[in-house]
Amino acid sequence: MRYYIRRFLFFLLTLWTAVTLNFIIPRLQPGDPAEDIVRKLAGQNKAIDPAQVRAIRLMLGIRGDSIFQQYIDYLGSLVHGQFGISYTYFPYSVLSLIGQSILWTVGLVLTTNIIGFIIGNILGAFAAWKRNTPFDSVVSVGLNFLGTLPYMWIALILLSVFAFQLQWLPIGGGFSENSTRQLSWEYAWDIVVHATLPAISLLITGPIGWVMGMRNNMVQTLREDYTRLAIAKGLKPWKVALLYSARNAILPNVTGLAMSLGGLLGGVVLVEAVFDYPGMGRLFFTAIGNRDYPLMQTIFLFSVVAVLLANLLADFVVGWLDPRVRKGEQ
């Protein structure tokens, strides 16, 4: 239990640090959201009326308290589950906006990460088993080259080829404008078609980390005494590869998978912006551009909490799978 208690206490400390930074960082951004709203309503070239700015601030709940009092109010709001009203989409609440976007990002990230994890670990294990062969060289060199390509660049190429030139897939969005938006096979297929290009752009570079990590870990496990003993006993090669080497080599990747699933915004902000995909990434990008503090803070907080919870779960799973981890805490 000492191992699990330490992991949980570390989770609480990290969560408090993340909450505090989540409050401080948006307020370091220059500008005033109330002035931006008044300027948009009045026009860029017109003078700003201070009375209108004060009225907008009161409407948004900005009372001009000290930074410490704002921090206390912020913690109290989090405890009660009150995340405020969006400055950009006033008068809609932040939670309602996130509720409309989170399922799109979760579906995209969950699908691409699981597929990438499976493909990456299989390729990595096979490359390690066939190390120093042409297959190993092709996988290592080819994936290192793909790893230098940014998500946005790949997304733009896919959009240009398959959407504009070949016109096989839609340009962007999460569904067609004329779709019924009712639960049906037709609507589900429409969602899958619109998510194809964003998913492919993430899957091209997504498995690289899993492949290289699995390969390097498995090369080390193949040199361990228990693997050599299994080979000396005459076990079948697939049993040695899967039940001995791969089983131990995959443990670090389990932690990485949990963190990647928790990091909803990692790598999807620019992809969703390119394809105009109605997910958390596009919503976060809009919030930054409009200095929407409540929306920014809540999205960032949800993402951090997801990463921390996933990391905590991964620590528990790894501790359960590998008794050496638990013994190391004693």
Side-chain angles (χ1 to χ4, degrees):
M1 289 300 297
R2 185 181 303 174
Y3 167 79
Y4 296 110
I5 291 174
R6 287 184 179 181
R7 295 295 95 191
F8 184 72
L9 292 177
F10 181 74
F11 163 79
L12 294 179
L13 177 62
T14 309
L15 178 62
W16 173 79
T17 304
V19 168
T20 303
L21 292 176
N22 188 36
F23 171 80
I24 295 175
I25 292 176
R27 284 162 176 78
L28 298 178
Q29 187 178 4
D32 185 348
E35 292 183 0
D36 291 342
I37 293 175
V38 173
R39 186 175 289 108
K40 289 179 180 179
L41 294 176
Q44 295 292 334
N45 299 324
K46 294 184 179 180
I48 298 177
D49 187 355
Q52 293 180 341
V53 175
R54 288 193 298 270
I56 292 294
R57 287 174 179 168
L58 292 175
M59 182 179 66
L60 297 175
I62 305 175
R63 297 175 299 181
D65 296 330
S66 64
I67 191 68
F68 179 74
Q69 184 61 44
Q70 292 180 33
Y71 179 67
I72 298 299
D73 295 340
Y74 171 69
L75 293 180
S77 299
L78 292 183
V79 172
H80 293 88
Q82 299 175 357
F83 298 96
I85 303 298
S86 171
Y87 297 169
T88 307
Y89 301 98
F90 184 86
Y92 292 100
S93 66
V94 169
L95 285 181
S96 66
L97 294 172
I98 293 178
Q100 296 173 7
S101 303
I102 192 170
L103 292 179
W104 296 96
T105 298
V106 168
L108 181 64
V109 172
L110 188 65
T111 303
T112 54
N113 273 272
I114 291 178
I115 294 175
F117 181 80
I118 295 173
I119 295 175
N121 282 285
I122 292 175
L123 285 177
F126 195 73
W129 186 255
K130 298 292 184 180
R131 61 189 182 280
N132 300 325
T133 62
F135 178 81
D136 182 28
S137 301
V138 170
V139 169
S140 300
V141 175
L143 292 182
N144 283 327
F145 170 74
L146 288 177
T148 61
L149 305 178
Y151 285 117
M152 188 173 183
W153 191 74
I154 296 175
L156 289 174
I157 291 180
L158 293 175
L159 188 64
S160 175
V161 174
F162 293 101
F164 286 100
Q165 297 182 13
L166 299 177
Q167 297 182 358
W168 289 353
L169 295 169
I171 297 175
F175 46 83
S176 303
E177 295 182 357
N178 57 354
S179 63
T180 58
R181 302 187 188 181
Q182 295 179 356
L183 188 59
S184 62
W185 289 109
E186 182 181 356
Y187 182 51
W189 176 250
D190 189 38
I191 292 176
V192 171
V193 170
H194 280 78
T196 300
L197 284 181
I200 292 175
S201 64
L202 293 174
L203 279 173
I204 288 178
T205 57
I208 295 176
W210 309 126
V211 174
M212 303 310 298
M214 186 64 178
R215 180 194 177 280
N216 295 334
N217 293 334
M218 190 164 171
V219 167
Q220 296 297 324
T221 58
L222 287 172
R223 298 171 181 171
E224 297 290 341
D225 293 337
Y226 58 83
T227 304
R228 295 179 178 179
L229 178 61
I231 297 175
K233 285 183 175 181
L235 294 180
K236 295 181 179 180
W238 68 267
K239 285 188 176 181
V240 176
L242 295 179
L243 301 182
Y244 287 81
S245 296
R247 179 181 178 182
N248 292 280
I250 201 174
L251 290 177
N253 279 3
V254 171
T255 304
L257 174 64
M259 296 186 66
S260 66
L261 292 177
L264 296 178
L265 296 181
V268 301
V269 175
L270 295 178
V271 171
E272 289 187 356
V274 170
F275 294 103
D276 195 29
Y277 197 74
M280 295 277 287
R282 191 184 69 175
L283 191 64
F284 187 66
F285 191 80
T286 304
I288 293 175
N290 292 282
R291 298 186 182 91
D292 194 338
Y293 296 154
L295 188 55
M296 264 192 291
Q297 290 178 165
T298 307
I299 293 176
F300 180 76
L301 180 64
F302 277 32
S303 180
V304 170
V305 170
V307 171
L308 293 178
L309 287 175
N311 198 17
L312 180 66
L313 179 62
D315 287 339
F316 287 173
V317 171
V318 171
W320 174 65
L321 292 176
D322 192 353
R324 296 172 299 178
V325 176
R326 298 195 303 270
K327 293 179 180 180
E329 293 284 334
Q330 299 178 358

